[in-house]
Amino acid sequence: MKSYETYIFDLDGTLLNTIDDLAASTNYALRTNGLPECTVSEVQTYVGNGVRKLMERAVPDGDRNPKFNDAYAAFRQHYSEHNMDLTTPYPGIIDMLKEMRDKGKRIAVVSNKFYLATKSLCDHFFSGLVEVAIGERESIRKKPAPDTVVEALRQLDVSKDNAVYVGDSDVDILTANNCGIPCISVLWGFRSREFLLSHGATTFVSRPEELLAWD
């Protein structure tokens, strides 16, 4: 089994269970603009491509709806204030990251969540464990473009030769492919094994501690 020295993690559905806060902010934005609300299960299928795409999927007719911009702004404001209300690390994540750190592994997070939320969540939950946290911002293309992973590797000052991407979605699989690095798909996140297989996943873990087998 190949040994990896650098682990690039997705955030939502991989390290953190964020779905209840995402759904709460989505429904706040919809409700305050007189739009129909979504179930948590529906919101779970909408995430992965950034918050704008989430709201395009949640708002009827997407960004063609005259209320879209107001709903999108309401989501961003509400989520920036409430992104830690219900969010928690998945069981075993903290211990897994601590063991990786103690073994000298390099650890980064690359997310399509907007930058300030990505940074604040990583600082709050993973202080001293995650070296680099990169979220969506205007100056860099978001996943599945390789740019944010390339930037994480640059900030870590490592090559991609011994790096792996760990995520829970089809976006993560495509991101890893676009970067030319392997992808490990987790099965505790927002997508099923069958969905991931249909989008090209080849390697799975069912529990965070299984990632340590690649050490």
Side-chain angles (χ1 to χ4, degrees):
M1 185 174 291
K2 179 177 173 58
S3 176
Y4 297 113
E5 297 301 318
T6 302
Y7 288 78
I8 311 294
F9 287 94
D10 172 53
L11 188 60
D12 297 57
T14 300
L15 296 179
L16 293 177
N17 186 353
T18 56
I19 195 61
D20 288 332
D21 282 331
L22 288 168
S25 292
T26 298
N27 284 328
Y28 170 83
L30 295 171
R31 184 170 60 253
T32 56
N33 284 278
L35 298 168
E37 297 184 35
C38 300
T39 66
V40 174
S41 295
E42 287 172 332
V43 173
Q44 186 165 311
T45 68
Y46 298 160
V47 299
N49 296 94
V51 295
R52 182 181 176 89
K53 184 60 69 175
L54 162 59
M55 291 308 296
E56 287 178 4
R57 292 163 174 163
V59 171
D61 297 322
D63 59 7
R64 298 184 301 278
N65 191 309
K67 295 183 177 181
F68 175 80
N69 288 335
D70 287 342
Y72 178 49
F75 174 93
R76 290 182 67 98
Q77 179 180 355
H78 188 273
Y79 191 71
S80 68
E81 298 170 357
H82 296 278
N83 59 49
M84 297 183 195
D85 289 0
L86 301 169
T87 288
T88 59
Y90 287 100
I93 289 293
I94 298 295
D95 288 342
M96 176 269 294
L97 291 175
K98 285 180 177 178
E99 187 163 345
M100 283 187 175
R101 178 201 60 190
D102 292 346
K103 290 182 176 181
K105 306 302 180 181
R106 310 301 303 276
I107 301 171
V109 165
V110 169
S111 175
N112 277 344
K113 185 187 296 294
F114 51 92
Y115 176 78
L116 289 178
T118 300
K119 187 73 165 60
S120 64
L121 286 166
C122 286
D123 286 347
H124 179 78
F125 289 109
F126 309 125
S127 178
L129 299 175
V130 170
E131 299 174 69
V132 172
I134 297 177
E136 180 184 7
R137 57 186 192 269
E138 291 184 2
S139 60
I140 190 168
R141 293 186 300 168
K142 64 180 184 292
K143 302 183 296 182
D147 303 40
T148 47
V149 174
V150 171
E151 176 62 14
L153 294 171
R154 186 194 70 78
Q155 290 188 31
L156 290 171
D157 193 26
V158 299
S159 76
K160 68 178 184 179
D161 293 345
N162 291 302
V164 63
Y165 195 92
V166 182
D168 73 306
S169 75
D170 52 317
V171 175
D172 298 318
I173 297 165
L174 187 55
T175 300
N177 288 341
N178 289 339
C179 295
I181 62 176
C183 183
I184 299 173
S185 297
V186 307
L187 295 176
W188 56 80
F190 298 162
R191 301 290 185 265
S192 69
R193 182 186 185 97
E194 292 72 23
F195 178 92
L196 294 168
L197 279 170
S198 71
H199 287 82
T202 59
T203 306
F204 299 94
V205 290
S206 299
R207 301 183 308 278
E209 57 266 31
E210 292 176 21
L211 289 167
L212 300 169
W214 276 271
D215 289 348

